[in-house]
Amino acid sequence: MKPIRNCAVAILLFLVTSSAAFAQTAITLHVDATDAARNVLHSRLTVPVKPGPLTLFYPKWIPGEHTPTGTIDDVVGLKLSAGGKTIPWRRDDVEMFSFHCDIPPGTTTLDITFDDVSQPETTASAKLARIKWNRLLVYPEGVASDAINVKASLKLPPGWKFASALPITTDNRGELQFKEVSLTQLVDSPAIIGAHFRSLPLSTTGMKHELDLMADTTQALELKSETLTGLRNLVQQAYALFGARHYNSYTFLVTLSDHGGSEGLEHHESSEDGVGEKAFSEELELLDFAELMGHEYTHSWNGKYRRPAGLATPDFEQPMHGDLLWVYEGLTQYLGKVLPTRSGLWTAEVFREAMAAVAAEMEHQSGREWRPLVDTAVAVQLTYSSPRAWLNYRRRVDYYDEGSLIWLDADVLIRTRSNGKLSLDDFCRRFHGGQNTAPVVKPYTFDDVVNTLNEVMPYDWRSFLNARVNAINPHAPVGGITNGGWRVVYTDKPNTEIRIADHGRKSVDVSYSLGLLLKEDGTVLDVNPNLPAFKAGVAPGMKILTVNGRTWSTDVLHEAIASSKNSTAPIELVVENGSFNETYRVNYHDGERYPHLERDNTKPDVLSDVIKSRAQQ
Ligand SMILES: [Zn+2]
């Protein structure tokens, strides 16, 4: 999904103290999902305890989310009891995720019940839901999640189906009992449930790979044969790239709904992939889906198996350190585009359009004049949920996209200096490959990244990375594109990746002409302070009412920008700012501008080598 520093290694040495009143036997967790369509899940836990003071903790720092996003405010109806007698609790005055109680003498088990009331359109629709176990349990504070075992069970709504990487022991007509696993594995093994289900194998021999789909309608489950072939190729191409796997089986848990919330969350043996109902039939949504599959699957290696030491925390209480997210997410963002292209889910042209869009956006982030890339990662607790207004000046989670440019730069550098004998694939094999293993975490530091790059090809990688990650750079790192035989150019032809983004967020992106990102109704989402619209007076939150005297529409805006080329007059905008209307004159005459890659014939086409399929293993 969407976030070390050397000192973060100290976290691993953090002394984990066992909560005094916790007895080390399995917790049982029963989830009643029969009200899932109403966004309510009923949770019932039995926790082995000893008499004395006990503090219960609700998962706060969620793996893959890199931030304290635990949904504590969705916990309602919390009741503790033992032997039928209520046990009072008190929330910690400072740590809102902690609940203190006293276990009476003679008590061996504590019963806990609560409801998880998720926000509408986040985890469930009328016909499907994602079961995220971390939302549904508390555990004794201070105990490592590897040291707690949980026996979970789940009751489905009548007629609903189920899919998860979590092993089942019994399935009694919608009452599922799971194998006892560690709390770590449980939280890493979510489920999807729903009325309309389809399961498709993605490998025919060897290890099990599966595409499990829940959708709001049966029609939404239909996917083209070339999409299925592409996904099967993706499994093969990832193995050909990394040379080993670190899971026992892998399941893509895909939900297709316009109301069940979008999602993209990685796990060792599965991924949660929440897309729109028409993701398999609408052209732009299908391209977006392919990237999501490539991204989340790559995370099984880069993120789950190899994880920055600062993100490899022992429980869900210790804060995470995000400073190596340009590896965790940046390299994943890169491979998440490369692998779908090698698999045929994307064409070479779509790949180039995506890299052009990334290069253009990062080059135009005005915030890069004050904020080094690393700070967007260190501050992930802020950047991940930053509001849209002033994002260009603030910078957003740029460690994703600028990270992908840095890794392309490194890839092209290795390919060029080794005359095509070596590539970033060799780094990935050394860093993420090795022997096949079951899920395991192998933490790393910045030095480990530098050392492995040097093993592949001796170079001053420390300076290479420091210059791009830790220093303030007025320009985006586009060396992978320019040294790869291409250049970023701007034309009036819309860019495919920008069309995908506009389609998804219902926006109008004219970032490289007027310097505006707008809602389809004319509301200004963001401005680039270096470009003409801001200089004329436009700011986020305002709403454009008319363009050159005509009532706002996206067509009217595009026509005005296109015809600016042949006019010396400014583009006149009447803009609503609160209860006042103002007229702003934007001095702009360059027509529509969208980024693309254009071949530079003076250099070899290394970029095309990057996206060539590898021979399958
Ligand atoms: Zn990610």
Side-chain angles (χ1 to χ4, degrees):
M1 186 166 161
K2 314 155 222 190
I4 172 170
R5 85 197 61 216
N6 294 338
C7 70
V9 176
I11 284 177
L12 296 175
L13 307 174
F14 188 91
L15 208 62
V16 174
T17 52
S18 208
S19 192
F22 176 57
Q24 304 276 357
T25 51
I27 292 175
T28 63
L29 164 66
H30 178 72
V31 174
D32 176 355
T34 53
D35 278 330
R38 296 199 287 173
N39 296 297
V40 187
L41 299 175
H42 312 288
S43 190
R44 192 173 76 231
L45 292 126
T46 305
V47 181
V49 291
K50 295 173 191 162
L54 175 69
T55 301
L56 297 166
F57 195 82
Y58 183 75
K60 178 179 185 179
W61 291 82
I62 310 304
E65 299 190 354
H66 324 306
T67 54
T69 44
T71 48
I72 186 68
D73 206 24
D74 290 346
V75 173
V76 300
L78 177 68
K79 287 178 186 160
L80 310 186
S81 64
K85 283 193 180 148
T86 298
I87 294 182
W89 55 263
R90 182 184 163 94
R91 191 190 302 263
D92 190 85
D93 288 312
V94 175
E95 176 49 86
M96 299 288 117
F97 291 69
S98 286
F99 299 90
H100 305 294
C101 63
D102 265 308
I103 304 300
T107 306
T108 55
T109 57
L110 176 66
D111 298 315
I112 304 167
T113 57
F114 68 87
D115 285 342
D116 165 32
V117 288
S118 61
Q119 298 311 298
E121 310 230 337
T122 59
T123 62
S125 74
K127 299 294 176 189
L128 58 82
R130 280 185 288 277
I131 304 294
K132 293 170 171 284
W133 303 108
N134 54 281
R135 295 183 63 109
L136 295 157
L137 56 87
V138 290
Y139 66 94
E141 186 177 79
V143 184
S145 56
D146 280 346
I148 298 174
N149 273 9
V150 185
K151 267 199 282 206
S153 58
L154 176 66
K155 184 178 182 186
L156 302 177
W160 283 31
K161 303 292 194 303
F162 157 91
S164 171
L166 194 63
I168 303 175
T169 54
T170 58
D171 177 357
N172 184 10
R173 288 182 301 177
E175 298 255 10
L176 307 157
Q177 178 66 55
F178 301 99
K179 189 182 156 195
E180 180 178 321
V181 296
S182 71
L183 178 56
T184 310
Q185 187 183 345
L186 181 75
V187 168
D188 193 49
S189 309
I192 52 173
I193 61 174
H196 307 292
F197 173 59
R198 193 174 179 198
S199 181
L200 294 157
L202 294 180
S203 52
T204 46
T205 55
M207 198 177 279
K208 188 182 99 169
H209 295 83
E210 204 166 88
L211 177 67
D212 284 346
L213 310 170
M214 298 289 173
D216 275 354
T217 63
T218 50
Q219 298 92 305
L221 296 169
E222 294 300 322
L223 76 173
K224 300 181 183 88
S225 66
E226 57 262 38
T227 304
L228 190 58
T229 302
L231 291 170
R232 288 176 175 153
N233 291 342
L234 178 65
V235 169
Q236 291 296 326
Q237 286 298 316
Y239 192 46
L241 169 64
F242 294 114
R245 293 164 172 142
H246 306 288
Y247 49 75
N248 296 314
S249 67
Y250 193 91
T251 310
F252 292 93
L253 300 169
V254 179
T255 52
L256 298 112
S257 170
D258 292 337
H259 304 282
S262 65
E263 180 61 287
L265 189 58
E266 62 275 18
H267 305 284
H268 284 276
E269 303 197 297
S270 64
S271 54
E272 294 171 84
D273 311 295
V275 295
E277 187 181 325
K278 295 193 167 58
F280 294 157
S281 54
E282 207 285 331
E283 181 205 351
L284 294 175
E285 291 187 34
L286 185 57
L287 291 174
D288 206 22
F289 167 77
E291 183 175 6
L292 181 66
M293 295 293 102
H295 183 103
E296 301 306 341
Y297 188 39
T298 296
H299 269 320
S300 182
W301 290 265
N302 187 49
K304 302 312 286 190
Y305 170 54
R306 295 312 307 268
R307 200 176 307 171
L311 295 176
T313 48
D315 52 36
F316 309 112
E317 301 158 42
Q318 311 305 322
M320 294 178 183
H321 294 227
D323 64 337
L324 283 179
L325 279 169
W326 53 274
V327 188
Y328 185 120
E329 295 293 359
L331 178 56
T332 302
Q333 192 77 340
Y334 177 56
L335 296 175
K337 291 178 166 65
V338 169
L339 285 172
T341 314
R342 290 185 185 176
S343 307
L345 290 162
W346 273 16
T347 62
E349 176 64 12
V350 170
F351 176 80
R352 289 192 293 266
E353 287 282 273
M355 294 315 296
V358 166
E361 188 186 356
M362 293 303 110
E363 178 67 20
H364 286 81
Q365 289 291 71
S366 63
R368 62 184 312 115
E369 289 159 24
W370 71 271
R371 193 170 198 177
L373 180 67
V374 71
D375 189 57
T376 69
V378 170
V380 59
Q381 293 179 54
L382 308 174
T383 47
Y384 202 73
S385 56
S386 280
R388 186 68 239 187
W390 302 109
L391 212 48
N392 180 278
Y393 188 15
R394 184 187 292 118
R395 298 193 81 165
R396 58 181 184 92
V397 283
D398 288 356
Y399 54 83
Y400 278 86
D401 279 343
E402 192 150 323
S404 74
L405 289 174
I406 291 170
W407 288 105
L408 173 64
D409 201 354
D411 198 352
V412 168
L413 183 73
I414 297 171
R415 286 171 190 269
T416 305
R417 287 177 67 97
S418 68
N419 294 317
K421 290 192 187 73
L422 297 167
S423 72
L424 195 66
D425 290 19
D426 296 282
F427 169 82
C428 292
R429 290 177 86 85
R430 280 176 181 269
F431 202 70
H432 305 96
Q435 298 296 310
N436 288 329
T437 65
V440 62
V441 182
K442 200 173 164 193
Y444 63 84
T445 63
F446 179 79
D447 284 353
D448 295 329
V449 176
V450 169
N451 293 342
T452 308
L453 282 165
N454 273 317
E455 285 166 19
V456 173
M457 187 192 83
Y459 187 73
D460 188 359
W461 289 108
R462 187 177 302 278
S463 301
F464 174 96
L465 293 172
N466 273 328
R468 287 159 181 76
V469 174
N470 295 319
I472 289 181
N473 287 296
H475 295 290
V478 297
I481 293 171
T482 53
N483 298 324
W486 296 76
R487 59 171 84 88
V488 182
V489 296
Y490 292 84
T491 74
D492 58 4
K493 183 183 155 216
N495 170 288
T496 306
E497 184 76 13
I498 294 173
R499 286 175 60 221
I500 293 172
D502 275 345
H503 176 82
R505 65 190 173 205
K506 298 187 176 15
S507 60
V508 188
D509 189 344
V510 289
S511 291
Y512 312 113
S513 50
L514 302 187
L516 289 175
L517 180 68
L518 302 136
K519 281 196 210 172
E520 285 174 341
D521 70 356
T523 302
V524 179
L525 291 169
D526 203 13
V527 293
N528 182 333
N530 296 326
L531 293 182
F534 176 80
K535 288 179 177 167
V538 181
M542 295 178 180
K543 186 175 180 184
I544 300 178
L545 303 176
T546 71
V547 183
N548 288 342
R550 299 189 66 189
T551 302
W552 163 268
S553 75
T554 55
D555 285 349
V556 163
L557 178 73
H558 284 302
E559 280 160 24
I561 296 173
S563 60
S564 69
K565 256 186 164 162
N566 310 315
S567 167
T568 53
I571 297 174
E572 194 173 278
L573 304 176
V574 175
V575 168
E576 182 184 278
N577 184 5
S579 59
F580 294 90
N581 291 349
E582 307 279 356
T583 301
Y584 296 122
R585 292 177 182 84
V586 184
N587 194 10
Y588 178 78
H589 305 285
D590 286 335
E592 298 250 51
R593 289 181 87 239
Y594 300 101
H596 304 283
L597 297 192
E598 182 183 83
R599 181 77 177 95
D600 172 2
N601 286 313
T602 65
K603 292 175 186 164
D605 184 2
V606 183
L607 199 66
S608 294
D609 294 337
V610 166
I611 51 178
K612 269 189 198 137
S613 299
R614 287 188 69 106
Q616 298 197 356
Q617 296 188 338

